Amino acid sequence: MEYYNKVIESVGVRFLRGNNYRIEKPVHVLDYHDAENTLILLHQGSLKFGDEQELVNEGEILFIPANRKSSVAFGAASKKNEVVNDAFLDNKRKYLQTISFRDIKNTDEDCVTIVTFEAKVFDVVNFFHSLGIPPFAIRFNDRIATIVEDMVKETEQNTPGKERVMKIHTELLVIEIVRHILKNRLFMEELSTNSTYFKDPRLIDLFNYIKKNIGGDLSNKVLAKVANVSEDYVGQYFKMLTGINPQDYIEYQRMEAAVELLRTSKKSIRDIGKEVGYKDTAYFCRRFKMMYGLPAGKMRRRESLINVQS
C-alpha cells in the first residue's frame, strides 16, 4: 500500500472544464477521445461505449483516460447518427446543450455531466494513459459521482477560493479513481506492468530533464549523461521501463507542449514550433497533423470553440 501512496503523491492534477449537458440529438461518436482524462456521468437516458457498446447505467460514470479512443453513444443513437470525433467536436452544440442541475431534475430527456481533468506524473507523463488502462465504467460508486457533481457546481460559483477548491476536488477525484481500481482489482496486470517508472530515480531524472529542456537538445547522447548510462544503452533502458522509444516519447511531449501553447498563448505556429524544439516549421506542422489528425491552426480554433461552448 505504501507503494501506491508514493504513486498518488507523485501525480499532479489540474481541472480543465466541466459542464452538464442535455443530449439534444442522439449521436454515436466512433472514436471519442481527448488529450486529457474525461469522466461522463449519466444522470438519465442512454450511454454506451466500446466495441461491444457496453451499457452505462444511470448514476454510473464512463472514464476515458487521456488519449484513449472509445466508441461512445450518447442517447439512443442509430447507424445514421454515427460521426467521427472531429465532426462531433466541430458540431458539439448540435448534439449537446448545456443545462443546470435544477433543469436536470425537471426533465425526462437524456442528460450527462462531463468533466475533463489532467493527471500527470511529475507534471510530465499522463498518469492513467501510462498505466495502460482502457476506458471503463465506474459502477456502484456514489462517492465519485458526488465529487463530479460538486466540481461542476463549483464552476458555477463566483466566490473566493474557487481555484483552490477545484484543485482539492480534482485531487480527491484522482485518489478515488485509484482507490476504485484497487478495491475492485481492475487492470491489476496493467498496473503491475506499466508502473515501473515509479521505482527508478534515474528515469524520473530523465522525465524531469526532458520537461525542463523540451525545446533543447534531447539526443540520446544528452539523455545518457542525465541517466548516467551509456549512449548505446539509454534507448533500450528507457524503452524497457516505459514501453516506448525515448525519441518517440520526446516527440509526444513536444507535441503536448505545443497543444498547451496553442490553448493558452497567441504565439505564432512558427514560434510555438521553435519553442518546443522544431527549427523547421514545415516539419513541425507535418508531424503535428500526423499525430493529432488536424493542422495546428485548426487545433487552436477548435480549442477556442470548446472553451466557449463548455
Side-chain angles (χ1 to χ4, degrees):
M1 193 55 63
E2 182 60 29
Y3 167 68
Y4 287 108
N5 285 332
K6 290 181 180 179
V7 169
I8 291 171
E9 285 298 318
S10 70
V11 178
V13 305
R14 184 163 62 101
F15 171 80
L16 296 177
R17 53 186 176 268
N19 238 319
N20 303 311
Y21 296 99
R22 181 182 71 248
I23 300 174
E24 185 77 6
K25 179 180 179 181
V27 60
H28 182 182
V29 187
L30 298 173
D31 58 339
Y32 187 99
H33 61 278
D34 193 277
E36 301 300 343
N37 307 285
T38 301
L39 287 168
I40 306 175
L41 167 61
L42 178 66
H43 293 284
Q44 54 202 35
S46 176
L47 180 67
K48 299 178 182 179
F49 74 100
D51 294 339
E52 302 300 322
Q53 285 296 277
E54 184 177 345
L55 183 67
V56 178
N57 298 309
E58 293 181 358
E60 295 179 343
I61 299 167
L62 171 59
F63 176 47
I64 306 177
N67 292 304
R68 295 286 182 207
K69 293 183 179 181
S70 179
S71 166
V72 178
F74 295 89
S78 63
K79 188 77 174 177
K80 67 179 182 179
N81 302 124
E82 292 180 349
V83 298
V84 295
N85 197 58
D86 285 353
F88 172 70
L89 293 178
D90 286 340
N91 299 279
K92 190 175 180 181
R93 287 181 175 174
K94 176 181 176 182
Y95 304 109
L96 303 179
Q97 289 289 328
T98 56
I99 186 173
S100 68
F101 278 111
R102 180 186 301 173
D103 290 337
I104 286 176
K105 298 182 183 301
N106 296 322
T107 183
D108 295 326
E109 296 181 85
D110 293 10
C111 298
V112 296
T113 295
I114 302 179
V115 165
T116 306
F117 66 96
E118 181 181 278
K120 291 187 176 180
V121 182
F122 304 105
D123 297 321
V124 177
V125 182
N126 277 316
F127 176 56
F128 292 107
H129 179 90
S130 70
L131 294 179
I133 295 174
F136 71 99
I138 298 176
R139 306 190 188 279
F140 313 111
N141 197 316
D142 293 339
R143 175 67 170 150
I144 294 180
T146 299
I147 295 172
V148 169
E149 291 188 350
D150 287 346
M151 292 172 79
V152 175
K153 288 176 182 176
E154 186 66 27
T155 65
E156 298 172 351
Q157 305 298 317
N158 188 22
T159 52
K162 177 179 176 180
E163 295 301 319
R164 183 71 178 271
V165 170
M166 291 308 301
K167 182 172 176 59
I168 292 171
H169 279 325
T170 309
E171 288 178 340
L172 187 56
L173 179 64
V174 171
I175 291 170
E176 290 297 336
I177 293 172
V178 172
R179 286 178 174 178
H180 180 87
I181 291 170
L182 295 176
K183 180 181 178 180
N184 293 280
R185 298 192 63 78
L186 303 173
F187 319 116
M188 298 309 292
E189 183 176 347
E190 288 89 341
L191 289 177
S192 175
T193 302
N194 297 323
S195 61
T196 52
Y197 52 80
F198 291 108
K199 302 174 183 177
D200 194 320
R202 294 176 299 174
L203 190 59
I204 293 170
D205 287 343
L206 282 175
F207 284 150
N208 287 329
Y209 185 86
I210 290 168
K211 178 190 176 185
K212 293 176 182 177
N213 298 275
I214 198 67
D217 181 3
L218 293 174
S219 63
N220 280 6
K221 182 177 181 179
V222 171
L223 298 183
K225 290 181 180 179
V226 173
N228 196 27
V229 297
S230 71
E231 184 178 347
D232 292 336
Y233 177 66
V234 68
Q236 179 184 342
Y237 162 77
F238 193 96
K239 187 170 184 178
M240 178 177 64
L241 292 180
T242 66
I244 186 172
N245 180 286
Q247 294 307 318
D248 290 340
Y249 170 80
I250 289 165
E251 179 169 51
Y252 172 74
Q253 291 304 322
R254 282 175 164 161
M255 290 302 177
E256 285 283 282
V259 170
E260 184 65 16
L261 288 169
L262 287 168
R263 285 173 170 167
T264 60
S265 79
K266 295 182 179 180
K267 295 178 180 180
S268 67
I269 302 299
R270 179 182 179 182
D271 287 344
I272 288 174
K274 287 183 177 180
E275 189 165 332
V276 300
Y278 292 88
K279 296 179 181 179
D280 186 331
T281 304
Y283 179 72
F284 165 68
C285 291
R286 287 198 302 272
R287 296 302 298 172
F288 189 98
K289 185 176 182 180
M290 184 176 294
M291 183 168 290
Y292 293 106
L294 71 166
K298 187 174 182 181
M299 171 75 82
R300 167 172 275 165
R301 291 192 296 273
R302 173 170 295 165
E303 287 297 327
S304 299
L305 179 62
I306 289 173
N307 290 334
V308 169
Q309 292 179 345
S310 294

